[in-house]
Amino acid sequence: MSAALAARRVLAAASHSSKEGGAKTWKMLTIVLAIPGVGVCMANAYMKARAHSHEQLEFVPYHHLRIRTKKFPWGDGNHTLFHNSHTNPLPEGYESSHH
């Protein structure tokens, strides 16, 4: 009997047993699969972030982007609420040339 078939039979049997057995099955699945899965995803995201280049993209002044018909009600009126000077250009371009 293959391991996948055995696991399928155990999970199928647990779904037909009492409510306590189902809770045990889900607790075991959480501990064995979900928590390590989240750990693997976190490690993957960390490694991709470390390998990512943090250089600014070249600014291209497209006419249909960054249209300001009226000023924002905060600050100088030209910066968005969560403005990041490294990644968000103004209509004229980036604020600084280095990070």
Side-chain angles (χ1 to χ4, degrees), residues 52-58 86-87 94 97 99:
H52 177 67
S53 173
H54 293 284
E55 297 175 9
Q56 279 184 342
L57 299 175
E58 179 183 349
H86 181 69
T87 57
Y94 290 105
S97 60
H99 182 32

Side-chain angles (χ1 to χ4, degrees), residues 10-91:
V10 168
L11 291 175
S15 67
H16 293 294
S17 65
S18 68
K19 291 183 181 183
E20 183 179 315
K24 276 185 177 180
T25 302
W26 284 108
K27 182 176 181 180
M28 185 59 67
L29 285 173
T30 301
I31 292 170
V32 172
L33 295 176
I35 294 173
V38 169
V40 168
C41 290
M42 287 174 54
N44 184 31
Y46 176 75
M47 288 187 290
K48 284 186 180 278
R50 299 252 351 227
H52 177 67
S53 173
H54 293 284
E55 297 175 9
Q56 279 184 342
L57 299 175
E58 179 183 349
F59 178 73
V60 180
Y62 292 115
H63 297 291
H64 64 282
L65 296 177
R66 293 174 287 280
I67 297 173
R68 305 279 199 267
T69 57
K70 63 180 183 176
K71 292 183 176 235
F72 291 115
W74 50 80
D76 66 353
N78 199 22
H79 293 79
T80 59
L81 185 59
F82 299 107
H83 182 75
N84 181 341
S85 61
H86 181 69
T87 57
N88 303 120
L90 296 173

